[in-house]
Amino acid sequence: MPPGSHTMLRCAAMALALLALALAGCGQPKPGHARAPERFVPAPPGEPEPIVWSDLIPDEELAELERQMSLMQYAMQPAADHEESAPAAAQTGSSAVVSELDGLHIRMPGYLLPLDAATRGRASEFLLVPFYGACVHYPPPPPNQVVYVVAEEPVSIGEIWEARWVEGVLETRMVESELADAAYTLYLSRSELYRPGR
């Protein structure tokens, strides 16, 4: 197998499975609210480790995601063919985490959904999700594909349809919110508009 093929397979499988979940129906809010951690973990000096969404999934679960790709045949139909008949979907899927990521200083892309009341376009609690509309227009991804993000001070959130790079210390810490449960917590040190390769 050529170098990098395994990583490309992981990313492709994850992207297709998440797209299928995204097009399958609309999510329902969950009771409760995100509980901010009692302490904030600042990022250490040095460059963060770049990761992608499939890195948050334990290896043993990737095979199951590949089997779920059969959902794509349904999801690729025009929305009018199934949008009325598709049942509303709550969050499902795995909360299993990759323990090696606990405490790692990371950088990853995604979409930020503010959880606290934004004032002048600023907030301090978010969910980071892999595709636009997750948890609002579409079902939430599995908990291990949702990251609860907390900032020490409110930060500018930009537009929710714009992908962003986020950096900070990642912990394998479960947090519940009204929109979705997150299997990971990120202590935000930096956020910027997404630019491929940056």
Side-chain angles (χ1 to χ4, degrees), residues 4 18-19 28 44 47 49 54 59 61 63 89 92 96 132 143 154 158 163 173 178-179 189 194:
L18 288 174
L19 179 59
Q28 295 295 312
E47 292 296 314
E49 179 76 21
S54 59
D59 288 338
E61 293 191 354
T92 60
Y132 172 65
R173 178 182 184 274
E178 295 177 356
L179 296 177
S189 61
Y194 176 80

Side-chain angles (χ1 to χ4, degrees), residues 9-39:
L9 176 63
R10 288 168 57 113
C11 292
M14 189 63 239
L16 290 174
L18 288 174
L19 179 59
L21 288 171
L23 296 175
C26 292
Q28 295 295 312
K30 299 191 69 155
H33 178 71
R35 290 184 291 277
E38 295 177 0
R39 83 285 187 262

Side-chain angles (χ1 to χ4, degrees), residues 139-161:
N144 65 7
Q145 288 293 281
V146 180
V147 179
Y148 170 70
V149 178
V150 60
E152 192 168 22
E153 299 291 339
V155 296
S156 176
I157 59 177
E159 304 294 348
I160 63 172
W161 59 80

Side-chain angles (χ1 to χ4, degrees), residues 32-77:
H33 178 71
R35 290 184 291 277
E38 295 177 0
R39 83 285 187 262
F40 185 86
V41 179
E47 292 296 314
E49 179 76 21
I51 67 171
V52 294
W53 286 95
S54 59
D55 292 330
L56 302 180
I57 304 172
D59 288 338
E60 60 271 16
E61 293 191 354
L62 287 175
E64 178 60 27
L65 282 177
E66 291 172 7
R67 287 192 287 273
Q68 292 177 6
M69 287 173 61
S70 62
L71 290 171
M72 283 300 293
Q73 183 177 2
Y74 170 77
M76 293 289 284
Q77 298 175 22

Side-chain angles (χ1 to χ4, degrees), residues 161-175:
W161 59 80
E162 294 178 322
R164 301 189 70 82
W165 286 107
V166 296
E167 296 178 14
V169 175
L170 190 70
E171 286 189 350
T172 54
R173 178 182 184 274
M174 175 73 76
V175 173

